[in-house]
């Protein structure tokens, strides 16, 4: 009889603790769910790139051509084929670098056409006729000078690339990480202004940002005309 009473007492005591254990498990599960939801709700904000100010220009990804000078009335923001639409700043800078380079070559070529056909004192006057044929004539008349000319152009181009461009391996890695395609591993340095390699023997480059933008626009317009 005593044994039965003891067993009944033990069973009752165990039953009294059962709900408390289930409640603890339920609470633990609920807290775990809340923690998971809290972790899922944490969203990393995109990192906003910071662009350096160069020659008074700070890249603006939302502006036409990232805010670079060159747009003038009446055409304004002229890009009918949308070459610059949706491009990152690095690509817009690369496009401007190509444009300003071709503008300068075009201006020099135009001057060469206008002067070369009427005034050619070099090589004893052996270079004559249409300007289109002058370079080929130089190769025949003065091959060593022609070789020096080619070497000088190559040296100038290598110097420009070293000043303004990121090393090819680093550039290809950057393009791969940013999923930028069609650049052939070409990326301009962040602190490089397109076309400004520091060559200014006559000191014509303005120090005022507004004046610099005006001069850059004039250079572009003259180059585009050439």
């Amino acid at each position: 009889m005593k044994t039965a009473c003891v067993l009944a007492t033990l069973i009752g005591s165990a039953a009294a603790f059962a709900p408390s254990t289930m409640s603890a498990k339920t609470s633990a599960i609920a807290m775990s769910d809340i923690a998971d939801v809290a972790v899922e709700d944490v969203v990393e904000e995109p990192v906003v790139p910071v662009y350096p100010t160069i020659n008074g220009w700070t890249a603006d990804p939302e502006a036409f051509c990232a805010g670079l000078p060159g747009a003038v009335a009446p055409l304004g923001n002229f890009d009918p084929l949308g070459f610059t639409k949706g491009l990152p700043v690095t690509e817009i800078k690369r496009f401007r670098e190509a444009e300003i380079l071709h503008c300068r070559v075009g201006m020099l070529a135009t001057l060469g056409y206008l002067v070369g056909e009427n005034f050619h004192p070099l090589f004893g006057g052996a270079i004559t006729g249409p300007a289109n044929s002058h370079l080929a004539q130089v190769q025949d008349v003065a091959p060593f000078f022609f070789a020096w000319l080619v070497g000088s152009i190559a040296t100038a181009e290598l110097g420009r690339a070293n000043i303004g461009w990121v090393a090819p391996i680093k550039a290809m890695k950057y393009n791969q990480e940013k999923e930028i395609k069609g650049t052939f591993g070409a990326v301009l340095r962040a602190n490089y202004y397109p076309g400004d390699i520091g060559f200014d023997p006559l000191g014509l480059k303005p120090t005022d940002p507004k004046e610099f933008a005006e001069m850059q626009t004039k250079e572009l317009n003259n180059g585009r005309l050439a």
Side-chain angles (χ1 to χ4, degrees), residues 1-204:
M1 186 66 180
K2 291 181 179 180
T3 302
C5 290
V6 171
L7 289 174
T9 302
L10 291 175
I11 292 172
S13 299
F17 286 99
S20 176
T21 304
M22 293 298 294
S23 177
K25 290 181 179 179
T26 304
S27 299
I29 294 173
M31 291 300 293
S32 176
D33 292 341
I34 293 173
D36 290 341
V37 172
V39 171
E40 292 176 357
D41 289 343
V42 176
V43 179
E44 294 184 2
E45 295 183 359
V47 179
V48 179
V50 178
Y51 300 100
T53 299
I54 319 166
N55 294 329
W57 169 72
T58 304
D60 181 5
E62 303 300 326
F64 178 74
C65 283
L68 284 167
V72 293
L75 297 178
N77 298 336
F78 185 76
D79 184 18
L81 299 180
F83 286 126
T84 61
K85 186 177 181 180
L87 288 181
V89 173
T90 53
E91 273 295 87
I92 292 177
K93 287 178 63 177
R94 192 173 70 90
F95 276 32
R96 174 51 58 87
E97 174 79 0
E99 181 182 21
I100 193 67
L101 177 64
H102 285 84
C103 283
R104 290 167 179 172
V105 171
M107 287 187 283
L108 288 173
T110 300
L111 182 64
Y113 268 80
L114 295 176
V115 176
E117 293 186 358
N118 301 293
F119 180 73
H120 34 76
L122 300 178
F123 312 112
I127 309 299
T128 59
N132 279 343
S133 64
H134 286 185
L135 191 60
Q137 292 181 56
V138 170
Q139 188 175 5
D140 294 333
V141 173
F144 290 103
F145 175 80
F146 182 83
W148 174 84
L149 181 64
V150 172
S152 299
I153 295 173
T155 302
E157 283 297 287
L158 288 173
R160 181 176 68 91
N162 187 53
I163 293 172
W165 299 76
V166 177
I169 296 178
K170 292 182 179 179
M172 286 187 287
K173 184 178 179 181
Y174 174 86
N175 289 335
Q176 184 177 11
E177 292 176 351
K178 302 296 183 180
E179 297 183 354
I180 300 175
K181 300 180 180 179
T183 62
F184 304 103
V187 176
L188 292 178
R189 299 182 188 275
N191 60 346
Y192 173 72
Y193 187 93
D196 186 6
I197 59 174
F199 182 76
D200 185 24
L202 300 180
L204 299 177

